[in-house]
Amino acid sequence: MAKLCSKIILEGTRLTFKTELAFALNEHPRIVGPRKYRYHSPVISAEWCAFTNFPWGRGLINFEPQEEALAIETYQTWVRLFELQRYYSWIIDRFHLSTQMYQLQRYDKHYDFRWLEDRMRPLGFRLVFCTRTPESFAAARLERLKVSGNPAQYDDLQAFVAEQKLMQQLVAATTLPTLTVDISDNDVPAAAERIADWLEATGGLTMESMPSPT
């Protein structure tokens, strides 16, 4: 039986249910195999605010200019870890395209992550772009407010519509295999099935053996 070691990056603006999808995919039997008990399986995120010692601070996406070297070194560290532990499933809830989007909007600076994609592509990483129609953001906001610890970030829905347009351009430029998933109906299980179908059809559930990393 081939070892399942799919590698998925979920990108998109807020309220596109990326995190809900990440957890669903991380327990999907077609993607990570059947589980009779729960065990450690990585879901990581560039959205972690690990650069500052206070809540809702800065991290790999929203770093300030003086933190650029820290951010790039963090990306280098992540991709090296992926190379060293290649025969495993990695699910990433926002990554380098979210960084590009934020930095373009905030500082009008474009970060070229081709070097990152060039190292991730041979490992089998694929990108899933989560989208929704502009009119569906309001209903998604109501669902998110039930659990959010920072509800003010969802006040301006037009900002998310603008972010989604910019993200579409960034997705179009990526060199990673890409699937666009419309989550306007808020049906996370159905979206997870579409992703599983795509991975299966494109060989994204397994990977060929590679020389040991040096």
Side-chain angles (χ1 to χ4, degrees):
M1 182 177 179
K3 183 176 183 179
L4 295 174
C5 46
S6 54
K7 300 173 181 66
I8 306 164
I9 302 171
L10 295 162
E11 285 285 14
T13 187
R14 284 167 288 179
L15 296 180
T16 52
F17 290 9
K18 298 177 302 302
T19 301
E20 291 86 344
L21 257 176
F23 289 128
L25 295 172
N26 198 37
E27 296 188 347
H28 198 296
R30 292 173 59 196
I31 294 175
V32 297
R35 293 183 176 178
K36 296 184 179 180
Y37 65 95
R38 304 187 76 178
Y39 58 89
H40 300 291
S41 184
V43 173
I44 67 172
S45 177
E47 207 164 18
W48 294 341
C49 297
F51 290 0
T52 53
N53 195 23
F54 52 83
W56 315 113
R58 298 185 303 279
L60 202 50
I61 293 174
N62 62 341
F63 60 88
E64 292 183 346
Q66 71 274 13
E67 297 166 318
E68 176 182 306
L70 175 60
I72 297 303
E73 183 177 353
T74 303
Y75 271 119
Q76 292 169 339
T77 301
W78 274 124
V79 73
R80 183 55 178 160
L81 180 62
F82 301 148
E83 290 172 338
L84 293 172
Q85 302 199 58
R86 62 188 60 182
Y87 302 118
Y88 207 65
S89 295
W90 291 93
I91 297 175
I92 308 178
D93 179 8
R94 302 190 77 166
F95 208 49
H96 63 303
L97 296 193
S98 287
T99 296
Q100 286 182 320
M101 180 180 70
Y102 180 90
Q103 296 295 324
L104 277 168
Q105 289 185 315
R106 179 71 174 179
Y107 301 110
D108 195 28
K109 181 165 184 177
H110 174 72
Y111 284 90
D112 187 348
F113 282 113
R114 283 176 294 182
W115 65 269
L116 183 72
E117 294 188 350
D118 286 347
R119 291 172 64 178
M120 297 180 76
R121 194 169 52 253
L123 301 175
F125 273 93
R126 283 161 165 72
L127 189 141
V128 175
F129 178 36
C130 302
T131 68
R132 62 169 58 253
T133 60
E135 57 271 16
S136 72
F137 275 101
R141 176 180 180 272
L142 292 177
E143 287 298 312
R144 184 57 53 81
L145 291 181
K146 297 176 182 178
V147 297
S148 176
N150 185 23
Q153 65 180 310
Y154 304 112
D155 287 347
D156 185 4
L157 296 182
Q158 286 306 308
F160 303 154
V161 175
E163 286 178 358
Q164 184 164 268
K165 290 181 180 179
L166 176 55
M167 183 67 76
Q168 287 173 336
Q169 299 174 27
L170 298 173
V171 170
T174 185
T175 64
L176 299 176
T178 303
L179 173 71
T180 297
V181 172
D182 189 332
I183 196 71
S184 300
D185 59 4
N186 299 332
D187 192 338
V188 171
E193 289 298 329
R194 293 198 295 274
I195 295 170
D197 289 342
W198 175 62
L199 292 173
E200 184 176 319
T202 60
L205 295 175
T206 61
M207 66 176 294
E208 299 292 331
S209 295
M210 301 173 65
S212 299
T214 58

